[in-house]
């Protein structure tokens, strides 16, 4: 009830509340479309779209989710950014890189504009560094210096960078 608060252009904090057109009734979690009003740089909500639900990542052979302690490896769009979550176990420590989802990459609408490394390795917890390619394949990075067993993918990634 009442006028919604919103994250504007990926801001870290909510702003608002914003008035809504009579035809618009967003619910919590929806993405809203704002239009500027007047010279004071205020906004009005002119539309909304439902939030993208979580989609489970189809893991390649050898990987398994670490549940129920951690989220199943999953993805969704959040304010135009790719949000990843979850922890996968390769079963044993390895010194080679391993793709998490090579057989089933993320769908094209979730691909980043370029390859990104978004997690550094952690020897104490056996978590490898993680990268995502521009074609939606997530890879755990490991080496003889930094062997790894787990691929943790909790991250929000702007898709246009």
């Amino acid at each position: 009830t009442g006028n919604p608060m919103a994250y504007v252009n990926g801001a870290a904090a909510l702003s608002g509340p914003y008035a809504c057109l009579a035809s618009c009734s967003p619910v919590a979690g929806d993405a809203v479309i704002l239009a500027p009003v007047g010279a004071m740089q205020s906004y009005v909500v002119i539309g909304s779209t439902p939030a993208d639900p979580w989609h489970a990542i189809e893991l390649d052979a050898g990987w398994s989710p670490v549940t129920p302690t951690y989220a199943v490896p999953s993805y969704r769009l959040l304010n135009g950014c790719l949000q990843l979550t979850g922890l996968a176990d390769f079963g044993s420590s390895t010194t080679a890189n391993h793709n998490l989802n090579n057989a089933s990459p993320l769908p094209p609408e979730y691909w980043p504009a370029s390859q990104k490394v978004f997690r550094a390795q952690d020897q104490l917890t056996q978590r490898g560094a993680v990268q995502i390619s521009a074609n939606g394949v997530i890879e755990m990075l490991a080496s003889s210096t930094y062997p790894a067993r787990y691929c943790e993918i909790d991250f929000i990634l702007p898709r246009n960078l």
Side-chain angles (χ1 to χ4, degrees):
T1 61
N3 292 334
M5 303 283 285
Y7 293 101
V8 177
N9 292 328
L14 284 168
S15 61
Y18 298 102
C20 293
L21 295 180
S23 61
C24 178
S25 54
V27 297
D30 283 359
V32 295
I33 303 164
L34 299 173
V37 177
M40 297 301 294
Q41 302 249 333
S42 62
Y43 295 90
V44 63
V45 176
I46 61 172
S48 65
T49 58
D52 189 24
W54 286 105
H55 310 279
I57 295 172
E58 288 187 46
L59 302 176
D60 286 351
W63 289 101
S64 59
V66 180
T67 57
T69 309
Y70 295 92
V72 171
S74 304
Y75 63 94
R76 70 176 180 174
L77 289 180
L78 180 67
N79 298 323
C81 295
L82 174 61
Q83 183 177 15
L84 300 164
T85 192
L87 182 68
D89 182 356
F90 193 67
S92 62
S93 187
T94 179
T95 58
N97 298 344
H98 287 282
N99 291 330
L100 191 68
N101 63 328
N102 194 55
S104 299
L106 303 183
E109 60 270 25
Y110 295 89
W111 293 358
S114 62
Q115 180 173 293
K116 304 279 186 298
V117 175
F118 60 88
R119 176 171 172 70
Q121 60 270 61
D122 182 346
Q123 287 183 296
L124 292 176
T125 61
Q126 296 186 50
R127 284 162 168 77
V130 181
Q131 73 179 14
I132 183 168
S133 67
N135 67 353
V137 174
I138 300 166
E139 184 176 21
M140 178 187 73
L141 306 176
S143 67
S144 58
T145 306
Y146 297 105
R149 173 178 174 170
Y150 299 101
C151 184
E152 183 174 16
I153 58 170
D154 288 318
F155 197 74
I156 297 177
L157 179 72
R159 292 179 41 248
N160 59 350
L161 298 176

